[in-house]
mmCIF file of all heavy atoms in Angstrom:
data_model
loop_
_atom_site.group_PDB
_atom_site.id
_atom_site.type_symbol
_atom_site.label_atom_id
_atom_site.label_comp_id
_atom_site.label_asym_id
_atom_site.label_seq_id
_atom_site.Cartn_x
_atom_site.Cartn_y
_atom_site.Cartn_z
ATOM 1 N N LEU E 147 -45.603 -51.425 0.595
ATOM 2 C CA LEU E 147 -46.798 -51.028 1.334
ATOM 3 C C LEU E 147 -47.938 -52.089 1.278
ATOM 4 O O LEU E 147 -48.718 -52.216 2.176
ATOM 5 C CB LEU E 147 -47.279 -49.736 0.669
ATOM 6 C CG LEU E 147 -46.384 -48.552 0.777
ATOM 7 C CD1 LEU E 147 -46.857 -47.373 -0.016
ATOM 8 C CD2 LEU E 147 -46.099 -48.171 2.296
ATOM 9 N N GLN E 148 -47.944 -52.849 0.268
ATOM 10 C CA GLN E 148 -49.097 -53.894 0.024
ATOM 11 C C GLN E 148 -48.727 -55.165 0.696
ATOM 12 O O GLN E 148 -49.502 -55.843 1.382
ATOM 13 C CB GLN E 148 -49.357 -54.053 -1.341
ATOM 14 C CG GLN E 148 -50.414 -55.117 -1.579
ATOM 15 C CD GLN E 148 -50.701 -55.433 -3.157
ATOM 16 O OE1 GLN E 148 -49.715 -55.562 -3.791
ATOM 17 N NE2 GLN E 148 -51.915 -55.535 -3.516
ATOM 18 N N ASN E 149 -47.467 -55.652 0.574
ATOM 19 C CA ASN E 149 -47.098 -56.970 0.907
ATOM 20 C C ASN E 149 -46.291 -57.157 2.249
ATOM 21 O O ASN E 149 -46.043 -58.228 2.777
ATOM 22 C CB ASN E 149 -46.418 -57.652 -0.180
ATOM 23 C CG ASN E 149 -47.156 -57.726 -1.347
ATOM 24 O OD1 ASN E 149 -48.320 -57.974 -1.386
ATOM 25 N ND2 ASN E 149 -46.594 -57.321 -2.589
ATOM 26 N N PHE E 150 -45.740 -55.972 2.781
ATOM 27 C CA PHE E 150 -44.858 -56.058 3.850
ATOM 28 C C PHE E 150 -45.198 -55.231 4.992
ATOM 29 O O PHE E 150 -45.416 -55.763 6.162
ATOM 30 C CB PHE E 150 -43.423 -55.749 3.494
ATOM 31 C CG PHE E 150 -42.352 -56.015 4.487
ATOM 32 C CD1 PHE E 150 -41.778 -57.188 4.663
ATOM 33 C CD2 PHE E 150 -42.036 -54.963 5.453
ATOM 34 C CE1 PHE E 150 -40.876 -57.453 5.651
ATOM 35 C CE2 PHE E 150 -41.067 -55.189 6.445
ATOM 36 C CZ PHE E 150 -40.557 -56.391 6.528
ATOM 37 N N ALA E 151 -45.520 -53.905 4.863
ATOM 38 C CA ALA E 151 -45.872 -52.960 5.849
ATOM 39 C C ALA E 151 -47.349 -53.187 6.349
ATOM 40 O O ALA E 151 -48.226 -53.664 5.651
ATOM 41 C CB ALA E 151 -45.830 -51.624 5.423
ATOM 42 N N GLU E 152 -47.464 -53.111 7.743
ATOM 43 C CA GLU E 152 -48.764 -53.426 8.306
ATOM 44 C C GLU E 152 -49.184 -52.224 9.250
ATOM 45 O O GLU E 152 -48.368 -51.563 9.784
ATOM 46 C CB GLU E 152 -48.758 -54.654 9.209
ATOM 47 C CG GLU E 152 -48.528 -55.966 8.344
ATOM 48 C CD GLU E 152 -48.451 -57.164 9.157
ATOM 49 O OE1 GLU E 152 -48.282 -57.074 10.465
ATOM 50 O OE2 GLU E 152 -48.547 -58.393 8.638
ATOM 51 N N ASP E 153 -50.518 -52.132 9.433
ATOM 52 C CA ASP E 153 -50.979 -51.123 10.436
ATOM 53 C C ASP E 153 -51.065 -51.777 11.827
ATOM 54 O O ASP E 153 -50.692 -52.855 11.923
ATOM 55 C CB ASP E 153 -52.303 -50.519 9.958
ATOM 56 C CG ASP E 153 -53.433 -51.505 9.807
ATOM 57 O OD1 ASP E 153 -53.315 -52.630 10.374
ATOM 58 O OD2 ASP E 153 -54.459 -51.208 9.112
ATOM 59 N N GLU E 154 -51.750 -50.925 12.774
ATOM 60 C CA GLU E 154 -51.768 -51.561 14.089
ATOM 61 C C GLU E 154 -52.651 -52.746 14.186
ATOM 62 O O GLU E 154 -52.571 -53.518 15.203
ATOM 63 C CB GLU E 154 -52.234 -50.486 15.005
ATOM 64 C CG GLU E 154 -53.585 -49.933 14.832
ATOM 65 C CD GLU E 154 -53.684 -48.883 13.708
ATOM 66 O OE1 GLU E 154 -52.586 -48.556 13.137
ATOM 67 O OE2 GLU E 154 -54.691 -48.308 13.408
ATOM 68 N N LYS E 155 -53.483 -53.007 13.327
ATOM 69 C CA LYS E 155 -54.407 -54.145 13.226
ATOM 70 C C LYS E 155 -53.806 -55.373 12.432
ATOM 71 O O LYS E 155 -54.487 -56.260 12.100
ATOM 72 C CB LYS E 155 -55.700 -53.842 12.826
ATOM 73 C CG LYS E 155 -56.537 -52.796 13.666
ATOM 74 C CD LYS E 155 -57.953 -52.458 12.985
ATOM 75 C CE LYS E 155 -58.602 -51.454 13.938
ATOM 76 N NZ LYS E 155 -59.949 -51.133 13.364
ATOM 77 N N HIS E 156 -52.469 -55.244 12.098
ATOM 78 C CA HIS E 156 -51.882 -56.145 11.270
ATOM 79 C C HIS E 156 -52.465 -56.314 9.853
ATOM 80 O O HIS E 156 -52.358 -57.448 9.320
ATOM 81 C CB HIS E 156 -51.873 -57.505 12.003
ATOM 82 C CG HIS E 156 -51.341 -57.478 13.356
ATOM 83 N ND1 HIS E 156 -50.062 -56.990 13.748
ATOM 84 C CD2 HIS E 156 -52.007 -57.717 14.597
ATOM 85 C CE1 HIS E 156 -49.918 -57.051 15.079
ATOM 86 N NE2 HIS E 156 -51.015 -57.454 15.658
ATOM 87 N N MET E 157 -52.981 -55.292 9.433
ATOM 88 C CA MET E 157 -53.537 -55.298 7.998
ATOM 89 C C MET E 157 -52.532 -54.577 7.105
ATOM 90 O O MET E 157 -51.824 -53.718 7.572
ATOM 91 C CB MET E 157 -54.887 -54.527 7.929
ATOM 92 C CG MET E 157 -55.882 -55.314 8.769
ATOM 93 S SD MET E 157 -56.293 -57.048 8.121
ATOM 94 C CE MET E 157 -57.096 -56.548 6.535
ATOM 95 N N PRO E 158 -52.459 -54.884 5.801
ATOM 96 C CA PRO E 158 -51.563 -54.182 4.862
ATOM 97 C C PRO E 158 -51.891 -52.741 4.763
ATOM 98 O O PRO E 158 -53.123 -52.321 4.934
ATOM 99 C CB PRO E 158 -51.869 -54.802 3.549
ATOM 100 C CG PRO E 158 -52.571 -56.145 3.834
ATOM 101 C CD PRO E 158 -53.246 -55.974 5.113
ATOM 102 N N LEU E 159 -50.827 -51.967 4.767
ATOM 103 C CA LEU E 159 -51.053 -50.425 4.744
ATOM 104 C C LEU E 159 -51.806 -50.104 3.399
ATOM 105 O O LEU E 159 -52.430 -49.086 3.288
ATOM 106 C CB LEU E 159 -49.606 -49.824 4.695
ATOM 107 C CG LEU E 159 -48.968 -49.639 6.115
ATOM 108 C CD1 LEU E 159 -47.740 -48.849 6.011
ATOM 109 C CD2 LEU E 159 -49.835 -49.065 7.156
ATOM 110 N N LEU E 160 -51.419 -50.882 2.297
ATOM 111 C CA LEU E 160 -52.044 -50.537 1.008
ATOM 112 C C LEU E 160 -52.759 -51.831 0.534
ATOM 113 O O LEU E 160 -52.185 -52.948 0.274
ATOM 114 C CB LEU E 160 -50.987 -50.249 0.059
ATOM 115 C CG LEU E 160 -51.447 -49.572 -1.284
ATOM 116 C CD1 LEU E 160 -51.919 -48.169 -0.917
ATOM 117 C CD2 LEU E 160 -50.213 -49.513 -2.267
ATOM 118 N N LYS E 161 -54.122 -51.759 0.484
ATOM 119 C CA LYS E 161 -54.958 -52.869 0.034
ATOM 120 C C LYS E 161 -55.119 -53.050 -1.431
ATOM 121 O O LYS E 161 -55.474 -54.042 -1.956
ATOM 122 C CB LYS E 161 -56.296 -52.888 0.759
ATOM 123 C CG LYS E 161 -56.284 -52.859 2.314
ATOM 124 C CD LYS E 161 -57.557 -52.602 2.938
ATOM 125 C CE LYS E 161 -57.488 -52.622 4.444
ATOM 126 N NZ LYS E 161 -56.684 -51.361 4.879
ATOM 127 N N ARG E 162 -54.883 -51.906 -2.113
ATOM 128 C CA ARG E 162 -55.033 -51.910 -3.602
ATOM 129 C C ARG E 162 -53.739 -51.336 -4.147
ATOM 130 O O ARG E 162 -53.436 -50.189 -3.829
ATOM 131 C CB ARG E 162 -56.318 -51.100 -3.970
ATOM 132 C CG ARG E 162 -56.463 -50.973 -5.476
ATOM 133 C CD ARG E 162 -57.692 -50.258 -5.796
ATOM 134 N NE ARG E 162 -57.883 -49.867 -7.136
ATOM 135 C CZ ARG E 162 -57.419 -48.749 -7.744
ATOM 136 N NH1 ARG E 162 -56.903 -47.821 -6.913
ATOM 137 N NH2 ARG E 162 -57.502 -48.384 -9.017
ATOM 138 N N ASN E 163 -53.131 -52.136 -5.029
ATOM 139 C CA ASN E 163 -51.959 -51.688 -5.651
ATOM 140 C C ASN E 163 -52.094 -51.373 -7.122
ATOM 141 O O ASN E 163 -52.064 -52.231 -8.050
ATOM 142 C CB ASN E 163 -50.811 -52.778 -5.443
ATOM 143 C CG ASN E 163 -49.491 -52.373 -6.005
ATOM 144 O OD1 ASN E 163 -49.368 -51.380 -6.730
ATOM 145 N ND2 ASN E 163 -48.428 -53.093 -5.674
ATOM 146 N N VAL E 164 -52.476 -50.097 -7.455
ATOM 147 C CA VAL E 164 -52.701 -49.736 -8.872
ATOM 148 C C VAL E 164 -51.460 -49.722 -9.682
ATOM 149 O O VAL E 164 -51.573 -50.025 -10.983
ATOM 150 C CB VAL E 164 -53.374 -48.299 -8.904
ATOM 151 C CG1 VAL E 164 -52.378 -47.289 -8.515
ATOM 152 C CG2 VAL E 164 -54.091 -48.088 -10.340
ATOM 153 N N ILE E 165 -50.309 -49.527 -9.171
ATOM 154 C CA ILE E 165 -49.116 -49.450 -9.947
ATOM 155 C C ILE E 165 -48.811 -50.864 -10.513
ATOM 156 O O ILE E 165 -48.262 -50.966 -11.704
ATOM 157 C CB ILE E 165 -47.864 -48.975 -9.067
ATOM 158 C CG1 ILE E 165 -48.172 -47.620 -8.541
ATOM 159 C CG2 ILE E 165 -46.575 -48.996 -9.813
ATOM 160 C CD1 ILE E 165 -48.302 -46.523 -9.711
ATOM 161 N N GLU E 166 -49.170 -51.863 -9.781
ATOM 162 C CA GLU E 166 -48.923 -53.371 -10.359
ATOM 163 C C GLU E 166 -49.746 -53.606 -11.529
ATOM 164 O O GLU E 166 -49.433 -54.528 -12.298
ATOM 165 C CB GLU E 166 -49.276 -54.290 -9.250
ATOM 166 C CG GLU E 166 -48.732 -55.568 -9.315
ATOM 167 C CD GLU E 166 -47.219 -55.668 -9.330
ATOM 168 O OE1 GLU E 166 -46.614 -55.009 -8.478
ATOM 169 O OE2 GLU E 166 -46.578 -56.309 -10.270
ATOM 170 N N LYS E 167 -50.836 -52.740 -11.693
ATOM 171 C CA LYS E 167 -51.698 -53.006 -12.879
ATOM 172 C C LYS E 167 -51.317 -52.317 -14.132
ATOM 173 O O LYS E 167 -51.836 -52.542 -15.276
ATOM 174 C CB LYS E 167 -53.166 -52.513 -12.508
ATOM 175 C CG LYS E 167 -53.625 -53.398 -11.369
ATOM 176 C CD LYS E 167 -55.133 -52.857 -10.961
ATOM 177 C CE LYS E 167 -55.703 -53.551 -9.823
ATOM 178 N NZ LYS E 167 -57.114 -53.025 -9.575
ATOM 179 N N ILE E 168 -50.442 -51.412 -14.030
ATOM 180 C CA ILE E 168 -49.830 -50.646 -15.244
ATOM 181 C C ILE E 168 -49.064 -51.501 -16.074
ATOM 182 O O ILE E 168 -48.090 -52.177 -15.749
ATOM 183 C CB ILE E 168 -48.979 -49.439 -14.730
ATOM 184 C CG1 ILE E 168 -49.844 -48.518 -13.919
ATOM 185 C CG2 ILE E 168 -48.502 -48.682 -16.018
ATOM 186 C CD1 ILE E 168 -48.990 -47.245 -13.397
ATOM 187 N N GLU E 169 -49.538 -51.505 -17.268
ATOM 188 C CA GLU E 169 -48.739 -52.246 -18.319
ATOM 189 C C GLU E 169 -47.779 -51.259 -19.037
ATOM 190 O O GLU E 169 -48.286 -50.498 -19.903
ATOM 191 C CB GLU E 169 -49.745 -52.920 -19.358
ATOM 192 C CG GLU E 169 -50.542 -54.041 -18.683
ATOM 193 C CD GLU E 169 -51.424 -54.629 -19.648
ATOM 194 O OE1 GLU E 169 -51.276 -54.395 -20.994
ATOM 195 O OE2 GLU E 169 -52.287 -55.522 -19.405
ATOM 196 N N PHE E 170 -46.556 -51.395 -18.849
ATOM 197 C CA PHE E 170 -45.543 -50.602 -19.385
ATOM 198 C C PHE E 170 -44.477 -51.452 -20.181
ATOM 199 O O PHE E 170 -43.800 -52.239 -19.494
ATOM 200 C CB PHE E 170 -44.841 -49.700 -18.346
ATOM 201 C CG PHE E 170 -43.639 -48.909 -18.969
ATOM 202 C CD1 PHE E 170 -43.915 -47.865 -19.809
ATOM 203 C CD2 PHE E 170 -42.381 -49.273 -18.636
ATOM 204 C CE1 PHE E 170 -42.861 -47.254 -20.482
ATOM 205 C CE2 PHE E 170 -41.302 -48.488 -19.192
ATOM 206 C CZ PHE E 170 -41.629 -47.518 -20.128
#
Side-chain angles (χ1 to χ4, degrees):
L147 295 174
Q148 181 186 40
N149 301 314
F150 188 86
E152 297 180 344
D153 61 19
E154 64 278 1
K155 295 181 181 179
H156 308 297
M157 296 298 291
L159 288 183
L160 199 69
K161 298 176 182 63
R162 175 177 171 271
N163 185 347
V164 69
I165 297 299
E166 198 61 45
K167 299 178 181 180
I168 295 177
E169 293 185 6
F170 173 68

